[in-house]
């Protein structure tokens, strides 16, 4: 009864303001369970690593049945892949101006890709330190979504080298800030890191930097 009254109140307010009269539909129980399992999986993989984590351990953390985990995700490997997946929208973040592009890349990584210890990128980075399966998944993911995509936007003969260096620099910043928590990298604000690191990223993607010296 209380929920119905609340929905009617929302509808009345929206009629008065001219906004569309819609009441969002609640998430289904299955969706909530699935999201809870994914969050528990990230926390578990991040805490004990890929090798030691078990479906039973994840099910207990999610307050779900082991059968539910298997029903939604199949194997531990399939669950891991989904739990640590993150998109790297290089095309969306690339701007005509290299400086803006570099700043977009850095802000998105620092504020979204690896913003918390349990974010997909942070968990994948952490587990890749102790699991070859996780390391191979990270290599393939970074190559496909970062190196391949960025190299297509760099009009230079060494485009793939530049894109590869960009990728490892970004991974290094994320690792130092969120995993190793190096004080001089973890304590500054996002804007401070962008201010200092963006010129480095910009020089990689735009071809800037000092001219190569002749070899004797």
């Amino acid at each position: 009864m209380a929920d119905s009254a609340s929905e009617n109140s929302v509808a009345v307010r929206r009629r008065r303001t001219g906004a569309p009269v819609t009441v969002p539909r609640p998430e289904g129980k299955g969706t909530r369970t699935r999201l809870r399992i994914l969050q528990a999986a990230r926390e578990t993989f991040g805490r004990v690593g890929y090798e030691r984590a078990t479906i039973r351990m994840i099910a207990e953390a999610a307050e779900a049945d082991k059968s539910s985990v298997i029903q939604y995700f199949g194997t531990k490997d399939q669950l891991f892949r989904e739990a640590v997946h993150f998109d790297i929208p290089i095309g969306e973040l690339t701007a005509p101006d290299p400086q803006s592009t570099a700043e977009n890349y850095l802000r998105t990584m620092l504020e979204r890709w690896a913003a918390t210890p349990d974010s997909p990128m942070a968990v994948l980075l952490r587990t890749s330190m102790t699991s070859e399966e996780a390391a191979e998944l990270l290599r393939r993911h970074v190559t496909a979504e970062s190196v391949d995509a960025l190299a297509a936007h760099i009009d230079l003969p060494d485009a793939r080298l530049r894109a590869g260096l960009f990728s490892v620099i970004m991974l290094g910043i994320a690792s130092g800030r969120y995993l190793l928590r190096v004080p001089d990298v973890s304590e500054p604000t996002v804007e401070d890191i962008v201010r200092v690191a963006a010129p480095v990223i910009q020089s990689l993607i735009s071809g800037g930097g000092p001219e190569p010296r002749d070899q004797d």
Side-chain angles (χ1 to χ4, degrees), residues 105-116 170 173-174 177-178 189-191 193-194:
Y105 293 158
L106 283 163
R107 284 199 185 92
T108 301
M109 180 190 72
L110 294 169
E111 296 176 346
R112 191 170 75 189
W113 299 341
T116 67
M170 295 287 274
I173 293 173
R177 184 170 174 85
Y178 297 111
T189 65
V190 168
E191 290 306 311
I193 293 178
V194 170

Side-chain angles (χ1 to χ4, degrees), residues 186-200:
S186 63
E187 293 174 2
T189 65
V190 168
E191 290 306 311
D192 282 338
I193 293 178
V194 170
R195 173 176 55 82
V196 174
V200 178

Side-chain angles (χ1 to χ4, degrees), residues 33-55:
T33 301
R34 195 174 188 281
L35 292 174
R36 196 168 68 246
I37 292 170
L38 279 174
Q39 182 58 37
R42 291 189 193 103
E43 293 171 358
T44 303
F45 285 127
R47 185 178 72 255
V48 305
Y50 175 81
E51 304 295 344
R52 293 177 57 197
T54 65
I55 288 182

Side-chain angles (χ1 to χ4, degrees), residues 113-125:
W113 299 341
T116 67
D118 293 325
S119 63
M121 181 182 183
V123 172
L124 183 53
L125 280 170

